Amino acid sequence: MLSFELLATEGRARRGRLSLNHGVVETPVFMPVGTYGTVKGVTPRSLQEMGAQIILGNTFHLWMRPGLEVLRCFGGLHRFEGWSRPMLTDSGGFQVWSLGEMRRISEEGVKFASPVNGDKLFLTPEVSMQIQTVLNSDIVMQFDECTPYQTKGHVTTEAEARASMELSLRWAGRSRDEFVRLANPNALFGIVQGGMFEHLREESAARLVELDLPGYAIGGVSVGEPKEQMLRIMAHTPHRLPAHKPRYLMGVGTPEDLVEGVAQGVDLFDCVMPTRNARNGHLFTRFGDLKIRNARHKLDARPLDETCNCYACRGCGEGGGFSRAYLHHLDRCGEMLGPMLASIHNLHYYVNLMRKIREALDEGRFDTFRHQFAQDRARGIGD
Amino acid sequence: MLSFELLATEGRARRGRLSLNHGVVETPVFMPVGTYGTVKGVTPRSLQEMGAQIILGNTFHLWMRPGLEVLRCFGGLHRFEGWSRPMLTDSGGFQVWSLGEMRRISEEGVKFASPVNGDKLFLTPEVSMQIQTVLNSDIVMQFDECTPYQTKGHVTTEAEARASMELSLRWAGRSRDEFVRLANPNALFGIVQGGMFEHLREESAARLVELDLPGYAIGGVSVGEPKEQMLRIMAHTPHRLPAHKPRYLMGVGTPEDLVEGVAQGVDLFDCVMPTRNARNGHLFTRFGDLKIRNARHKLDARPLDETCNCYACRGCGEGGGFSRAYLHHLDRCGEMLGPMLASIHNLHYYVNLMRKIREALDEGRFDTFRHQFAQDRARGIGD
């Protein structure tokens, strides 16, 4: 089940509310990525405390490990990973695509060797729906082929992008049929492809809309294309999707990309950037980004962001509230607490950036917010 | 400042209360080890929630990184690492001893090359006191030489153990003099050495007692000697130390060792075992130990320990409460959340084992507790 209510708009930007089987999600929203049934480096408790409303799981990875026998025995992903709020799973299409040479794509589906144990496996729209039904995620993604921007230096041609987009459309139909056959009680989203070609994206969107799915995603962006190409597609596609249904921009992006995405009418985002960058010592703050490895932080007693309320910056009760100097030290010593605190901070930043965007939309001042955001981010983290 | 009050005794076992500059510590107590200014894999908040009263810092490692300039700028270790309760620091003696070939010991102190940057360094009783004064730990340990059990297969002779013990005694005097000269407001503990020789340990203890220090530790155990030798020293030395002063058994040990140590009159323990073993998938539970890597856990929906209240076993609020199957999966995937949850669980187990010991001593039933403990631990984790 899914219903979507539009609460407010400002230009193309939308403030909405998604009702899913495991709860309500206020949009626009950022969804932390939990590839293997865990958002890397943080507890479910931390995610709740920072206000995360919905998280992702990766169908392909969870199929490999722990496998369906385990997930079936837990009645799905929620109980297994200790997360009771909504969850979205991808279809596995992006991951098999990432296997590169290791996979063979046909009309039927994708044949590949398991990267875990070498087993020969065959992922099809039907299998993807079967796995996602076991996972019992609130939002199920259709099986698609992610059209590459380029392959070994060869930029995808229009003919190639069209063939790929049309394959994804046929797979959308098969995904929908299997989803219905399985009586999956959740919501199936279609994925718009078409590479960097606007007219292909329009055709993809129009034909997906004929399937009358409860939500639509924009796939095939953030796959190695130049930034201006991504921004071009972001400006083109989202607002052309049905206004009364949620729109999800897959795998995007920086804080600036999220604000731009909202301005273009996107409701849902996911990205590994906050957690992956955290583990590499790249911290996001209101006043710009900060590399904790830099020696300039050695004696700096300030928190990462004086305006931030996360556990890393503010602590709680009698403990915590950590300095840049301490985080620099943890990084230098390779101590686990370093990426733990950095992951909390970056996810908190992303999740709360979206909360501030929602508040701005509620109060009809998103445009003002955007300008202030750009100005703050350009200010720098201070000397 | 330090005062120590004996609240109850049962045989040699003692229930006490230590008052330190940063707060009160109920004994017997286990002190989690925070080598580089962080107890590996856990936040200060988790430590507070599990009831940790006092944690350790390692003088040698903190001297190397972040170094005294940083720690001085934070007024010591407490604010730097976000821990407001009591802290104990070792003297650096054990770590320079661990450098093996890389160090040269003389009457004056220990010359060695920094393992971080190769700098030539000289650690003496005076330098150790100066560093620990900067750290501002509540309990300061004298600089000592940790007498090895064996060196390259050569078991330490009585003459060698005597020479080493006497050097530590002279260093105890110099530590005390420097501690007084620095007007360090905290408590300095002496360390009994003497290897595996009871009469040397008695001599060491007697001569340390002449210095009238506020507490005494038993060092040079858990340094590679056979278990029965360790138990022999544990049965010999603690109860011979002054009854009205706290007794600290350094670097020990398993849950069984802790219960035995308490029975022999020990008040304070520290050990890396709960955190190190956690990172290797070795979990302690009321009903015996558990290797999470074992395939038997693959489908096991039970928590590590059904009687445990830690976040890993019970969760909190709407989230968490994790199964053996989930922890097995995290371990298999190399996910950070695995060691994070395992560290919380193992530390919680150690800290709360000591709480239960204190309650038993309060109620005069420590002997009954010991038998029940041994019986429970032998029961096994279930099939």
Side-chain angles (χ1 to χ4, degrees):
Chain A
M1 243 316 287
L2 171 141
S3 72
F4 182 64
E5 192 185 348
L6 260 191
L7 305 177
T9 59
E10 187 176 335
R12 292 176 181 166
R14 300 133 57 86
R15 169 76 177 89
R17 182 171 295 150
L18 255 179
S19 296
L20 299 164
N21 281 330
H22 286 86
V24 169
V25 174
E26 304 291 336
T27 66
V29 70
F30 175 78
M31 307 182 283
V33 178
T35 304
Y36 274 113
T38 159
V39 177
K40 286 187 193 298
V42 297
T43 61
R45 177 187 182 183
S46 286
L47 289 168
Q48 287 160 15
E49 288 177 346
M50 67 181 68
Q53 304 180 72
I54 172 169
I55 64 174
L56 241 75
N58 283 117
T59 291
F60 175 80
H61 289 114
L62 292 162
W63 185 29
M64 301 294 110
R65 293 181 294 189
L68 295 189
E69 183 192 5
V70 173
L71 289 163
R72 206 173 273 124
C73 132
F74 281 83
L77 203 46
H78 284 86
R79 188 159 75 89
F80 184 62
E81 67 179 86
W83 178 256
S84 57
R85 300 183 188 182
M87 233 180 253
L88 178 151
T89 47
D90 65 2
S91 67
F94 183 80
Q95 275 76 27
V96 288
W97 171 78
S98 305
L99 291 173
E101 305 282 293
M102 319 247 309
R103 47 106 176 109
R104 173 162 268 158
I105 301 179
S106 67
E107 180 65 32
E108 184 61 16
V110 186
K111 282 208 169 82
F112 64 99
S114 159
V116 173
N117 59 18
D119 283 358
K120 298 258 178 277
L121 294 168
F122 193 34
L123 191 55
T124 64
E126 291 76 19
V127 170
S128 175
M129 293 306 109
Q130 290 153 19
I131 301 170
Q132 292 185 75
T133 300
V134 172
L135 297 177
N136 194 27
S137 44
D138 298 77
I139 299 178
V140 170
M141 299 307 296
Q142 74 150 95
F143 190 64
D144 66 333
E145 190 197 34
C146 181
T147 308
Y149 175 70
Q150 58 177 13
T151 313
K152 294 182 184 167
H154 164 75
V155 175
T156 301
T157 63
E158 184 185 332
E160 289 162 344
R162 167 173 292 282
S164 169
M165 178 271 278
E166 290 180 346
L167 180 62
S168 282
L169 280 175
R170 293 190 294 277
W171 285 358
R174 284 168 57 192
S175 294
R176 199 265 323 261
D177 293 347
E178 183 68 5
F179 184 85
V180 169
R181 191 187 72 77
L182 293 164
N184 185 313
N186 297 297
L188 175 65
F189 278 29
I191 304 176
V192 176
Q193 292 287 352
M196 298 298 131
F197 304 93
E198 276 94 343
H199 63 287
L200 294 183
R201 294 224 165 237
E202 281 171 46
E203 195 175 325
S204 172
R207 289 170 61 189
L208 282 170
V209 167
E210 288 169 19
L211 293 178
D212 193 27
L213 297 170
Y216 296 98
I218 297 127
V221 289
S222 206
V223 291
E225 73 279 11
K227 187 88 178 190
E228 63 273 20
Q229 304 255 34
M230 186 186 87
L231 292 173
R232 181 166 56 80
I233 298 302
M234 267 172 65
H236 169 268
T237 309
H239 71 276
R240 288 184 161 81
L241 293 167
H244 58 294
K245 293 187 176 180
R247 303 160 178 170
Y248 163 29
L249 181 63
M250 302 180 83
V252 172
T254 64
E256 282 70 17
D257 293 338
L258 266 57
V259 172
E260 180 60 22
V262 169
Q264 297 297 347
V266 174
D267 307 304
L268 299 103
F269 300 86
D270 80 287
C271 193
V272 296
M273 203 175 263
T275 40
R276 178 178 293 164
N277 285 17
R279 295 195 301 283
N280 295 323
H282 180 126
L283 283 310
F284 296 99
T285 85
R286 175 169 171 189
F287 299 115
D289 298 351
L290 179 156
K291 303 283 173 67
I292 203 63
R293 214 148 287 171
N294 196 311
R296 69 189 281 197
H297 305 303
K298 193 180 173 192
L299 290 161
D300 196 330
R302 290 175 298 172
L304 292 170
D305 183 340
E306 268 145 353
T307 69
C308 176
N309 289 317
C310 85
Y311 175 66
C313 290
R314 284 282 290 272
C316 66
E318 42 178 323
F322 304 94
S323 62
R324 297 179 190 180
Y326 183 62
L327 294 168
H328 173 76
H329 164 71
L330 293 176
D331 177 77
R332 219 175 137 223
C333 295
E335 285 285 350
M336 243 168 86
L337 188 60
M340 286 165 61
L341 293 175
S343 299
I344 287 176
H345 173 82
N346 274 359
L347 284 170
H348 186 278
Y349 176 80
Y350 267 66
V351 164
N352 282 280
L353 172 60
M354 300 313 284
R355 184 180 52 72
K356 286 177 200 156
I357 289 174
R358 289 194 300 274
E359 288 170 4
L361 284 166
D362 280 334
E363 296 164 16
R365 51 173 179 78
F366 176 65
D367 200 54
T368 314
F369 173 88
R370 265 178 95 181
H371 285 96
Q372 185 63 48
F373 166 81
Q375 207 174 308
D376 282 351
R377 290 275 294 167
R379 200 197 81 170
I381 52 159
D383 291 311
Chain B
M1 242 314 287
L2 172 141
S3 73
F4 182 64
E5 191 184 349
L6 259 191
L7 304 177
T9 59
E10 186 176 335
R12 290 175 182 167
R14 301 134 55 87
R15 170 75 178 89
R17 183 171 293 149
L18 254 177
S19 297
L20 299 164
N21 281 332
H22 286 85
V24 169
V25 175
E26 303 291 337
T27 66
V29 70
F30 175 77
M31 306 183 282
V33 178
T35 304
Y36 274 114
T38 159
V39 177
K40 286 188 193 297
V42 297
T43 60
R45 178 187 180 182
S46 286
L47 290 168
Q48 286 160 17
E49 288 178 347
M50 67 181 70
Q53 304 180 72
I54 171 169
I55 64 175
L56 240 76
N58 283 117
T59 291
F60 175 79
H61 289 113
L62 292 162
W63 185 29
M64 299 294 107
R65 295 181 293 190
L68 297 189
E69 183 191 7
V70 173
L71 289 163
R72 205 173 274 123
C73 133
F74 281 83
L77 203 45
H78 283 86
R79 188 160 75 88
F80 184 61
E81 68 179 85
W83 179 256
S84 57
R85 300 183 187 182
M87 233 181 255
L88 178 151
T89 46
D90 66 2
S91 68
F94 183 80
Q95 274 76 25
V96 288
W97 171 77
S98 304
L99 292 173
E101 304 283 291
M102 318 249 306
R103 47 108 176 103
R104 172 162 268 157
I105 301 177
S106 66
E107 181 64 34
E108 182 61 17
V110 186
K111 281 208 168 83
F112 64 99
S114 159
V116 174
N117 59 18
D119 283 359
K120 299 257 180 275
L121 294 168
F122 193 32
L123 190 55
T124 65
E126 290 75 19
V127 170
S128 175
M129 293 304 111
Q130 289 153 18
I131 300 170
Q132 291 184 76
T133 300
V134 172
L135 296 177
N136 194 27
S137 45
D138 298 77
I139 299 179
V140 169
M141 298 306 297
Q142 75 151 95
F143 191 64
D144 66 332
E145 189 196 35
C146 182
T147 308
Y149 175 70
Q150 59 177 12
T151 313
K152 295 182 185 168
H154 164 76
V155 175
T156 301
T157 64
E158 184 184 332
E160 289 161 345
R162 168 172 291 284
S164 170
M165 178 272 278
E166 290 180 344
L167 179 62
S168 282
L169 280 174
R170 293 190 295 277
W171 285 359
R174 284 169 54 193
S175 293
R176 199 264 324 262
D177 293 347
E178 183 68 6
F179 184 85
V180 169
R181 190 188 72 78
L182 292 163
N184 185 315
N186 298 297
L188 175 66
F189 278 29
I191 304 176
V192 176
Q193 292 288 353
M196 298 298 131
F197 303 94
E198 275 93 343
H199 63 286
L200 294 183
R201 293 226 167 236
E202 282 170 45
E203 194 174 326
S204 172
R207 289 170 59 190
L208 280 171
V209 167
E210 288 169 17
L211 292 179
D212 193 28
L213 298 170
Y216 297 98
I218 297 128
V221 289
S222 205
V223 290
E225 73 280 12
K227 187 89 178 191
E228 64 271 20
Q229 304 255 35
M230 186 185 86
L231 292 172
R232 181 165 57 80
I233 298 302
M234 265 171 65
H236 168 268
T237 309
H239 71 275
R240 287 184 162 82
L241 293 168
H244 58 294
K245 293 187 176 179
R247 303 159 177 173
Y248 164 29
L249 181 62
M250 301 180 85
V252 173
T254 66
E256 283 70 17
D257 293 339
L258 265 58
V259 172
E260 179 61 22
V262 169
Q264 297 296 348
V266 174
D267 306 304
L268 299 103
F269 300 86
D270 80 286
C271 193
V272 296
M273 202 176 265
T275 40
R276 180 179 292 166
N277 286 17
R279 294 195 302 282
N280 294 322
H282 180 127
L283 284 309
F284 296 99
T285 86
R286 176 168 169 190
F287 299 116
D289 297 352
L290 181 155
K291 302 281 173 65
I292 204 63
R293 214 149 287 173
N294 196 310
R296 70 189 283 198
H297 306 303
K298 191 180 174 194
L299 290 161
D300 197 330
R302 290 175 299 173
L304 292 170
D305 183 339
E306 268 144 353
T307 69
C308 176
N309 290 317
C310 84
Y311 174 66
C313 289
R314 284 283 290 272
C316 68
E318 40 176 326
F322 304 94
S323 62
R324 296 179 192 180
Y326 184 61
L327 295 169
H328 173 76
H329 163 71
L330 293 177
D331 178 74
R332 220 175 136 224
C333 295
E335 284 285 351
M336 241 168 89
L337 188 60
M340 285 165 63
L341 292 174
S343 300
I344 286 175
H345 173 82
N346 274 359
L347 284 170
H348 185 276
Y349 177 80
Y350 266 67
V351 163
N352 282 280
L353 172 61
M354 301 312 284
R355 184 181 51 74
K356 287 177 199 157
I357 289 174
R358 290 194 300 274
E359 287 169 5
L361 285 166
D362 281 334
E363 296 163 17
R365 51 173 180 79
F366 177 65
D367 200 54
T368 314
F369 173 88
R370 264 178 96 181
H371 286 95
Q372 185 63 48
F373 166 81
Q375 209 173 305
D376 283 349
R377 289 275 295 167
R379 199 197 83 169
I381 53 158
D383 290 313

